Amino acid sequence: MLSCGDTPTANRTGGGESLSQAKSHTTLALHACYTCTLFVNTPYTTLLCTQVALAAEFKRPVSVHCVKGYGHLLDFFTSLSKDPDSCPPKVMLHSYGGSVEEIPRFCKLANIGSRFYFSFSHAINHRTPEKLRARVAAVPDDRLLLESDQVCGL
């Protein structure tokens, strides 16, 4: 299971600025990437936890690109649903590649389900057009985002 454990709030951003310096910048969103391998507790886990915590702290949306780990990601956000303040105000699942069945599970998470949005891109999602159509059909209309490279008809 993907878990942040007792990861303290980071005191530095990835670019070397202190958080107090970063607060003065107008940041629209944070982008986190999580890749699931056979080993869940990887540097990606720590990075995801830190970036999601920063987005929640600064009340910024987060874009998450997940590769082969949507079950773990769903578990991670399920754990955050117990304390809604620990979850960013909006979560975009960038180039969503999880199962059709997981879409409503994200959307129905207690206290935070309304924060999830799903985006689709040609470069990633068009590899399996049938799955893309099924995923898009499963997303509520008000949670559907199309990326600028999504050029094929759905």
Side-chain angles (χ1 to χ4, degrees):
M1 173 163 166
L2 174 64
S3 172
C4 294
D6 294 324
T7 305
T9 302
N11 60 8
R12 300 189 66 75
T13 63
E17 297 177 287
S18 70
L19 288 180
S20 61
Q21 290 170 319
K23 286 180 183 179
S24 66
H25 296 294
T26 304
T27 303
L28 298 178
L30 293 173
H31 182 76
C33 181
Y34 172 66
T35 301
C36 180
T37 63
L38 295 175
F39 305 99
V40 175
N41 293 319
T42 67
Y44 287 112
T45 304
T46 303
L47 186 59
L48 174 71
C49 293
T50 301
Q51 290 177 321
V52 168
L54 285 170
E57 180 181 346
F58 295 120
K59 298 183 179 13
R60 298 290 189 263
V62 65
S63 168
V64 179
H65 184 89
C66 182
V67 178
K68 299 180 181 177
Y70 284 95
H72 295 295
L73 193 66
L74 185 58
D75 290 343
F76 170 68
F77 281 108
T78 299
S79 71
L80 295 184
S81 69
K82 296 168 188 157
D83 177 14
D85 291 337
S86 67
C87 184
K90 303 287 181 198
V91 179
M92 178 180 81
L93 299 178
H94 164 68
S95 294
Y96 180 77
S99 72
V100 169
E101 295 78 20
E102 287 168 322
I103 292 170
R105 292 178 65 200
F106 277 104
C107 292
K108 293 178 182 175
L109 282 174
N111 304 311
I112 62 171
S114 63
R115 300 178 190 190
F116 289 91
Y117 294 82
F118 302 82
S119 74
F120 299 93
S121 68
H122 181 79
I124 302 295
N125 300 112
H126 194 60
R127 297 175 192 157
T128 54
E130 303 80 27
K131 288 183 180 180
L132 172 61
R133 283 190 284 279
R135 289 177 184 132
V136 168
V139 174
D141 291 344
D142 63 341
R143 310 282 187 82
L144 178 63
L145 303 171
L146 298 179
E147 301 200 17
S148 60
D149 71 338
Q150 184 61 45
V151 295
C152 67
L154 299 174

